[in-house]
Amino acid sequence: MTWLPVLLIFFIGAIVGSFLNMLIYRLPIDESIWKPRSHCPMCKKTIQWFRNIPLVSFVIQQGKCAACNESISWQYPVVEFITGSIWVICFLIFVPMHAAMTALFSSVLIALAWIDMKTMMIPLSLIISGIVVIVMSVIMGTLKWKFVLWGAFAGVFVPLVMMGITYFMTRRQGMGWGDIQLGLILGAWLGPWNMALTLFLAALLGIIAWLGISMKKGFDRNRPLPFAPYLVISAVTIFFLESNIGFWFDHFLLL
Ligand SMILES: [Zn+2]
């Protein structure tokens, strides 16, 4: 692909990222996602369309709201950039239909992980959105239903067993029910084996993060840690690596 379509896809992804930012802001506070147009979280002024261009507006306005001059959270450009990049990766390595489904599913995961990171909650509406994309993928033929069902089973069953063992040993609930729901859609997307690998990698990342935070802020047995970000990072990494290990070697390492 030449740079122009790549840039175009990046920009479409960044627009989706801008929509995800709105979801990240509104879903946890139960604000309607349809009604009021984009507005500044500080001064509540409506943002005109030409000041709402993903990444570009942030750079031009030097990270400040045009109306009240308050700083805009770094979350906005970061989510737009990550989403744009993932869309580009999808369309570079998959055929268009597969790329579109993967890009959509990854976008749902980005919003979900970010909301869990901020609020320790996973909105059910995003789990349902994930299920809708998976059903669409089965209809479009990019996922096989048998693979989806076995994966979903593994994604629920293995975390439930892990939760049971954790509870038996520590009398604490290690994971939340939201994580089990997330396991359901991740398993359906990844299939059983990659789901097992994802859980293992996510637990490892979670433990490393927990140790890091404990060393910085002091040891606290009860410190809660959102698990969805680690699950999502692990799932996306394993999905892209497993799908295209050959591609990555060809294009980046052996050039
Ligand atoms: Zn403002």
Side-chain angles (χ1 to χ4, degrees):
M1 252 196 258
T2 48
W3 63 272
L4 194 64
V6 169
L7 204 68
L8 187 71
I9 289 166
F10 178 82
F11 192 67
I12 294 170
I15 293 173
V16 174
S18 171
F19 177 73
L20 299 182
N21 273 320
M22 187 271 284
L23 293 182
I24 292 167
Y25 177 74
R26 293 191 189 182
L27 284 181
I29 55 174
D30 273 330
E31 198 175 309
S32 162
I33 64 167
W34 308 113
K35 261 273 208 49
R37 294 208 13 230
S38 298
H39 52 83
C40 165
M42 263 76 68
C43 65
K44 311 282 176 208
K45 280 236 172 70
T46 303
I47 302 167
Q48 296 118 299
W49 67 267
F50 59 89
R51 293 202 185 280
N52 207 6
I53 301 164
L55 292 165
V56 178
S57 296
F58 189 87
V59 173
I60 291 176
Q61 291 165 211
Q62 296 173 321
K64 293 193 170 85
C65 166
C68 68
N69 222 27
E70 284 285 339
S71 295
I72 301 165
S73 164
W74 55 269
Q75 172 204 307
Y76 288 84
V78 168
V79 168
E80 285 158 6
F81 183 80
I82 292 175
T83 314
S85 307
I86 287 194
W87 276 61
V88 167
I89 294 172
C90 289
F91 280 88
L92 280 178
I93 62 183
F94 296 123
V95 294
M97 179 57 76
H98 199 171
M101 291 300 150
T102 307
L104 277 179
F105 192 75
S106 306
S107 302
V108 173
L109 294 182
I110 292 169
L112 191 150
W114 211 284
I115 290 175
D116 189 45
M117 188 168 77
K118 283 177 85 170
T119 67
M120 302 283 294
M121 295 270 289
I122 296 177
L124 187 61
S125 53
L126 288 179
I127 298 288
I128 293 168
S129 308
I131 293 173
V132 169
V133 178
I134 283 167
V135 171
M136 273 161 60
S137 303
V138 173
I139 294 169
M140 296 298 175
T142 60
L143 282 177
K144 302 234 180 326
W145 65 269
K146 222 174 179 177
F147 173 91
V148 166
L149 291 183
W150 276 112
F153 175 73
V156 171
F157 182 73
V158 179
L160 270 180
V161 171
M162 282 165 69
M163 231 167 112
I165 293 172
T166 313
Y167 183 76
F168 185 73
M169 280 164 47
T170 65
R171 299 280 147 197
R172 272 161 227 280
Q173 195 185 333
M175 273 180 282
W177 294 109
D179 297 321
I180 305 285
Q181 294 168 2
L182 178 57
L184 176 87
I185 60 169
L186 287 183
W189 185 48
L190 292 165
W193 297 111
N194 281 341
M195 186 59 211
L197 203 60
T198 294
L199 282 163
F200 177 75
L201 182 61
L204 199 70
L205 288 177
I207 290 168
I208 292 170
W210 194 83
L211 285 175
I213 295 168
S214 297
M215 281 196 280
K216 242 177 107 182
K217 296 189 181 169
F219 183 75
D220 178 5
R221 242 178 102 93
N222 295 312
R223 189 192 314 283
L225 192 71
F227 195 46
Y230 304 104
L231 276 172
V232 165
I233 291 168
S234 307
V236 172
T237 307
I238 287 171
F239 182 82
F240 284 120
L241 284 183
E242 196 268 346
S243 313
N244 282 283
I245 278 188
F247 173 90
W248 296 109
F249 272 95
D250 288 349
H251 284 75
F252 293 103
L253 298 173
L254 304 176
L255 265 180

